[in-house]
Structures are given as C-alpha cells and as structure tokens.
Amino acid sequence: MNVKPTCYFEASARTRIAKLVDPDSFSELCPPHLRHSSPHLARLNAPVAFDDGVMVGRALLAGHPVLIAGQEGKFNGGAVGEVHGAKLCGLLERALSERPAAVLLLVDSGGVRLHEANAGLIAISELMRAVLRTEEAGIPVFALIGGSCGAFGGMGIVTLLCTEVVISEQGRIGLSGPEVIETVKGVDEFDSRDRALVWRITGGKLRRVLGDATRLVDDDIASFRAATAELLGKHAERRLPASDLAALTEEHEQLSARARRYDTARDGRIVFEEAGFTELESVALMPVDDFNRHLEGTP
Amino acid sequence: MEQFVMTFPVGNRQSEIHPPRVCGVVSSGNLEVLVESGEPGDSCRIDVHTPAEGFRDIWNAVLGDFVERHPVGGVNVTINDAGATPAVVSLRLDQAVELFRSEKP
C-alpha cells in the first residue's frame, strides 16, 4: 500500500501525534472536554483553547510505551502559559512513576506566553528542572522539532536539555528569535527578512552539524516516526546513564569552547565549512539523506 | 469577546452516546469546535465564544444552516472562535460532526 506522506510542518499538533505513534494507541490526559483553558487569557478578553495549546498523553511508538506532548504552534505561537506549562511538567512528573521508554516533546513554540509572562517564566524553569530530573532517573527525553515556530525562548533552552533532538530542515532552535534581535540590536546585527541567513543560523541543518540536534529528518511525519523509533530502540538496548554534575560540567566546558571558537562568526557558513561541506551554496539544497551521509562520513 | 448560546430544536435525537471530539485550532481566521453528547431532549445547543463582536445574526444564520444539514439532537457544541469567516465555520462544523459520528460509542 502506498501511503501519502503527511507534511510535519503543516500538520496540527493533534495530527502529528496521531500519525507519529502506533495507530489508535494515543490516550489523552486532561482532554479538551475538561476545558483546562487559560484563566489569564479569559481575563484579558482573548480567545482561549480547550487544551491551552498543548496535548499530553500516553502512547506506543513501535511498541515502546511513551509519554508524549504536542504543542500547537498555531495557537498563540505555541507559547507557554501557566496551564500549558503545568500540563508539560505534570507529564514529566508522571514519567518518574510510570517509567515509560521515553518522554517525547513535540516542541513548536516561541517561548513564554507574554499575556501571562510571570506564570510562563516560572513554568519554563519548572520544566527545565523536570527534564533534568527525568533524565537523572534514567528516562530519556526527546524533543521533536519541525513546526513553523521552531523551539525558541524558554522552549529553546528546554530543547537543549533533552537527551535526543530530532529536527527537520524547516525546524529551528534558538533563544531570541531573529525579529527580536533585529528590533533590539538593529538590522546590521541580524536581518530577520533574510530567510537564508535565518536558517543558516538557527535552522535544522546547522543545528545538526553543531551537534545540538542528534538526527536530521525529512519534513514528513513518517520520517520523524522512523528516527524516533530507531532512537527508542537504541535507548532500550543501553539505558541512559544517570546524568550527574561531572557530566554536566564537561558539557559546559565543551559549549564554552564552542562559543570561543565561533566568537567572531557572523554566519553559519564557517560551521558548515569546518564540517567539510565544500560547496556552501549547495548545502541548503542538499537532500537530507546526502547531508546525513556526508556528515556521518566526517571524522 | 462575546459569548452566547443558541439552541435549535431538531426533533432527531442521536441515539448513541459518542465520546467528545475536538476539531480545528484557535488561530487567526480559524476556530476550534468541541462536540459532546449530553444535551437532554431533541435539541442542539451551541455555545459560541468569539472575539468578533456584533455578528450574532450571521452566527444565527450559519448555525441554523448547520443544524438543517446535520439534525443532531442531544448534542452540545462549543466553539472557540478566532475570527473565522462564515464559510470556515460551516466547514469546520461539518468536519467536527463527521469526526464525532465516526467515533465508536
């Protein structure tokens, strides 16, 4: 049977979850008819969503039990408010008692929801701590990124705390978004309308070369599923060693070294060059398979 | 924001109880529709939350057409609107009811 591929970028969070996991295996926690929507948005006279822009639940993926969350990027840019954050934190807390094979976070978010900024900031810090606690308990946390909002602000930080990061070329990871940087520091610092530049700095291919992302996949849900299934298999074979202070300190040192190395870089080009991509113009057009083959062939 | 409830007598009660279903996303020009079993009697109750104020007549017409196309009694519909056009509302309602009915009781 020939199944038509479903674009990950365009799909809603509900569709992404439904097509990512084993058929009919998803059962939702705090489902929409319970109406856990944002009291802050309601007070501000802004539209609310029944699920506050994130769905959480249990599912099987290639037979592995997982806890899974999907952020809806089209609702307020997937931004994290109080209820939204509490649902994500609750899911990670549940992982400690249920001990799934992994927790999957389908990140599609610009960061903290400005309508409820204080509650959102607290939620992000709780979420960071929850991810580290889950990993410390030996349960891997995966971030999957391929939506229009990418993973920015607080969710960019949460993403980089995850054990595995699966990203498509369309996916992006960053802290301040390009528009924010341009507004604050001027167009000379970052021209947010130069899409090629934005992707050379925040996009999936650059994040894969830098090692922030552990898999680069095509923009269809089946490819995300295949990569996630492969990683679940890898982690089932070799349980995650409990993360400790020494490991975190070492990672910090590597990141500091990286920051020093690219201190004066104005563009992602130099990173691609050092990874052995000679024709820089063709990197953007290179199919994902060729890109991965090239990268994994690099010592 | 404007919130109002419109109840349409349908005279055709859904005999089976289906699990609730949600359809659509609250994003600009779009809406979210939640369909639940539950309204007693043969009427369809539609609860609308919309940021576009002053369009109650149009809502009445669009929702009236909907219950004519789908006479679903004993059903609650809740709408979180974000400025959808009448055509989008109609399509989304049709889609939501189809999803709701396709779900096994």
Side-chain angles (χ1 to χ4, degrees):
Chain A
M1 194 178 68
N2 216 344
V3 183
K4 201 169 137 240
T6 307
C7 172
Y8 189 95
F9 187 87
E10 295 286 346
S12 69
R14 268 177 207 284
T15 307
R16 285 176 191 160
I17 290 181
K19 301 208 168 185
L20 187 77
V21 301
D22 298 348
D24 299 319
S25 73
F26 179 62
S27 69
E28 188 168 358
L29 301 160
C30 310
H33 67 270
L34 298 182
R35 295 173 167 78
H36 293 301
S37 54
S38 165
H40 305 279
L41 290 177
R43 201 169 306 143
L44 290 167
N45 246 340
V48 300
F50 295 119
D51 52 20
D52 204 32
V54 65
M55 50 234 65
V56 295
R58 287 188 201 89
L60 296 173
L61 203 156
H64 300 277
V66 293
L67 291 176
I68 184 166
Q71 294 183 299
E72 178 51 71
K74 293 197 171 68
F75 175 66
N76 283 332
V80 180
E82 188 172 8
V83 175
H84 185 120
K87 285 174 82 172
L88 291 170
C89 288
L91 188 76
L92 286 158
E93 200 170 301
R94 184 176 277 267
L96 297 178
S97 54
E98 280 193 16
R99 303 202 62 87
V103 182
L104 313 182
L105 305 177
L106 279 55
V107 177
D108 192 358
S109 174
V112 167
R113 189 183 296 167
L114 296 182
H115 313 69
E116 35 191 303
N118 293 345
L121 284 167
I122 294 169
I124 290 288
S125 58
E126 286 175 347
L127 199 47
M128 288 163 62
R129 195 186 305 188
V131 168
L132 291 174
R133 197 188 296 129
T134 309
E135 289 171 340
E136 194 199 8
I139 301 159
V141 183
F142 296 5
L144 280 65
I145 300 166
S148 62
C149 298
F152 278 93
M155 286 311 295
I157 305 176
V158 170
T159 295
L160 293 186
L161 293 175
C162 289
T163 326
E164 303 282 359
V165 176
V166 181
I167 198 167
S168 66
E169 182 173 7
Q170 286 78 355
R172 293 177 296 156
I173 303 173
L175 197 54
S176 297
E179 280 92 351
V180 178
I181 297 174
E182 183 181 327
T183 306
V184 176
K185 303 283 275 185
V187 70
D188 289 342
E189 178 70 20
F190 202 160
D191 182 356
S192 68
R193 278 169 303 176
D194 185 344
R195 309 309 277 166
L197 175 69
V198 169
W199 258 264
R200 281 201 305 274
I201 289 180
T202 63
K205 278 180 174 162
L206 182 87
R207 291 302 172 188
R208 179 67 193 101
V209 171
L210 281 174
D212 294 333
T214 50
R215 291 288 183 282
L216 181 78
V217 297
D218 275 312
D219 177 30
D220 71 84
I221 301 179
S223 300
F224 273 89
R225 178 181 156 87
T228 310
E230 183 247 314
L231 289 168
L232 283 167
K234 186 188 100 178
H235 282 274
E237 251 169 52
R238 199 161 51 85
R239 287 303 281 188
L240 187 69
S243 66
D244 55 18
L245 188 61
L248 279 178
T249 312
E250 197 197 312
E251 207 180 330
H252 266 261
E253 271 159 25
Q254 285 171 4
L255 287 172
S256 307
R258 187 175 99 184
R260 281 193 301 274
R261 184 187 184 99
Y262 299 121
D263 187 35
T264 53
R266 302 288 304 157
D267 197 316
R269 284 173 199 270
I270 181 170
V271 181
F272 288 118
E273 245 166 38
E274 288 187 3
F277 289 93
T278 43
E279 279 180 70
L280 291 177
E281 295 312 319
S282 69
V283 171
L285 299 174
M286 195 180 268
V288 165
D289 281 347
D290 293 351
F291 184 89
N292 283 335
R293 217 171 295 129
H294 180 105
L295 197 65
E296 275 139 35
T298 312
Chain B
M1 287 294 285
E2 200 169 322
Q3 190 267 324
F4 48 85
V5 175
M6 290 180 175
T7 306
F8 298 88
V10 178
N12 179 14
R13 187 173 170 76
Q14 286 275 111
S15 50
E16 294 161 325
I17 306 273
H18 296 271
R21 285 307 296 258
V22 74
C23 179
V25 174
V26 187
S27 73
S28 184
N30 206 335
L31 73 160
E32 183 178 56
V33 178
L34 176 67
V35 189
E36 298 163 288
S37 296
E39 180 69 5
D42 294 346
S43 54
C44 177
R45 180 183 189 273
I46 307 184
D47 184 356
V48 179
H49 301 250
T50 173
E53 294 179 14
F55 290 91
R56 212 178 282 210
D57 291 347
I58 295 178
W59 278 104
N60 194 34
V62 169
L63 300 179
D65 285 353
F66 162 70
V67 287
E68 229 166 78
R69 282 198 305 281
H70 301 279
V72 281
V75 160
N76 280 341
V77 177
T78 315
I79 293 175
N80 281 331
D81 173 46
T85 61
V88 173
V89 175
S90 294
L91 285 168
R92 199 61 87 197
L93 281 165
D94 291 355
Q95 196 186 1
V97 163
E98 225 152 88
L99 257 175
F100 177 71
R101 281 174 165 161
S102 70
E103 196 79 354
K104 289 196 183 63

